[in-house]
Amino acid sequence: MTEPAEAPATLLVVEDEADIRRLETFVLEAEGYRVLTADNGADALRIAREEKPDLILLDIIIPEPDGREVCRRLRAERNFCPILFVTARKEPTDQLDGLALGADHYVVKPFSPAYLVTLVNSALRRVKEYTDTGQPGASEGRLKLGDVELDIPAKAVLRDGEEVRLTPGEWIVLEALATHRNTVLSRELLQQRLWDAVTDEGITSRTVDMHISRLRQKLGERTGGLISTRRNFGYLLDPEPDA
C-alpha cells in the first residue's frame, strides 16, 4: 500500500506591500508550500492562532499591531514556530532587537527569491530534526542536565521546574552546546551560528563570551560548571554536571 503523501508545510506571509506579498507567495507556493497571507498585524495574529502555521514571514512595518508586537504576542502565547522578520530596516541594532523579541532570522529587503526559499527550507528542516524522535542524546527533544532541562522543540529552558528566560542569541549558543554535548565547540563555530541568525556585522568572539557569561548566570552557579571553558579551544557542555 502506498503511504499517504506528507501534507505541505503551511506558511504565513505578513506583508502590507502587495507586490512583495505576491512575490513571496509565488516563490513559496512554487516550492510546494501552502501559503496564507495577511497585510496587517491584527489579521496576522488571528490567522496564526487559528491556522497554527509552521513558519511565519513577518514584515515589521505593517498596520497595527506592527511586526514586533505580533512576534512578542505570539511568543508570550508560547507559539514557537519559526518567525523570520522580512524588513527594509537594516541597522544592526534593529536586527538584534528583532532577535531579542524571539524571531529566528532577519531578512533585509531587497532579497533574492532563492535566498528566501533557502532560509525557509533551512528553518523548517531544523524544526523537523529537533522534533523527530531518536535524535542523538535527546529523548523527544528534551535534555536533562543536572537541575537544568532543555525542551529543544519549544525552545524552553527550565531550572528546578521554573522557566529561564533566554534571549535568542543565548538560546542559539546553548542549543549548539546541548546538541553537541561532550564536544568542545570553538568560539568561531558559535560565532558563525550567531552570524547566520543575525545576517549582519557585529557578531564577534566577544559576543560569544558575553552570551556564555549570561548563560552561566541564568543557569546558576550550583549546576557545578555546566558550561566549561577549554582555554584556547572553546566551550564544552558537561553531559553530567555535578549536583
Side-chain angles (χ1 to χ4, degrees):
M1 178 181 296
T2 303
E3 294 186 1
E6 185 175 344
T10 296
L11 313 182
L12 172 58
V13 170
V14 185
E15 171 62 64
D16 65 336
E17 294 186 40
D19 289 344
I20 297 177
R21 188 171 63 249
R22 284 194 292 266
L23 171 64
E24 293 179 14
T25 300
F26 175 79
V27 298
L28 293 170
E29 286 183 340
E31 287 292 307
Y33 293 118
R34 173 178 177 245
V35 181
L36 309 173
T37 63
D39 61 6
N40 63 80
D43 285 346
L45 286 169
R46 176 182 57 80
I47 295 171
R49 290 161 179 162
E50 293 176 356
E51 297 285 343
K52 301 189 185 322
D54 299 292
L55 181 143
I56 300 174
L57 293 163
L58 180 60
D59 190 11
I60 291 179
I61 308 301
I62 55 175
E64 294 186 357
D66 68 11
R68 294 178 188 276
E69 180 63 13
V70 169
C71 180
R72 188 195 67 76
R73 292 187 193 181
L74 290 176
R75 293 309 191 222
E77 296 169 7
R78 301 191 65 77
N79 182 327
F80 293 109
C81 81
I83 294 177
L84 279 61
F85 274 137
V86 182
T87 178
R89 303 174 72 104
K90 61 181 180 180
E91 293 299 320
T93 53
D94 290 325
Q95 300 185 34
L96 292 172
D97 288 346
L99 294 173
L101 286 170
D104 297 88
H105 214 101
Y106 197 103
V107 184
V108 177
K109 301 174 185 176
F111 53 84
S112 74
Y115 178 63
L116 184 68
V117 168
T118 298
L119 291 181
V120 169
N121 290 342
S122 177
L124 291 173
R125 183 170 59 249
R126 286 197 301 271
V127 171
K128 186 177 188 305
E129 289 172 352
Y130 293 149
T131 53
D132 283 347
T133 59
Q135 295 300 309
S139 176
E140 297 184 353
R142 301 182 71 93
L143 302 175
K144 182 73 173 175
L145 304 165
D147 58 4
V148 175
E149 185 174 2
L150 278 66
D151 186 334
I152 293 178
K155 296 186 178 181
V157 181
L158 302 176
R159 193 182 78 186
D160 284 342
E162 295 186 2
E163 184 175 4
V164 179
R165 293 188 176 275
L166 302 182
T167 67
E170 291 163 358
W171 171 260
I172 288 168
V173 171
L174 181 59
E175 179 189 44
L177 292 169
T179 53
H180 298 82
R181 295 190 318 287
N182 210 23
T183 300
V184 176
L185 299 185
S186 68
R187 285 181 175 85
E188 290 75 19
L189 187 149
L190 294 171
Q191 178 181 338
Q192 185 62 51
R193 290 291 183 95
L194 290 166
W195 182 287
D196 289 344
V198 176
T199 67
D200 210 293
E201 298 179 0
I203 301 300
T204 69
S205 61
R206 292 291 299 274
T207 308
V208 172
D209 294 341
M210 176 190 71
H211 287 318
I212 292 290
S213 176
R214 290 179 178 173
L215 280 171
R216 284 171 168 159
Q217 293 174 8
K218 291 183 177 183
L219 298 181
E221 292 294 333
R222 57 195 177 85
T223 57
L226 182 62
I227 301 175
S228 302
T229 302
R230 294 294 186 264
R231 188 174 178 83
N232 299 324
F233 290 99
Y235 295 102
L236 169 75
L237 191 68
D238 190 339
E240 296 181 355
D242 299 333

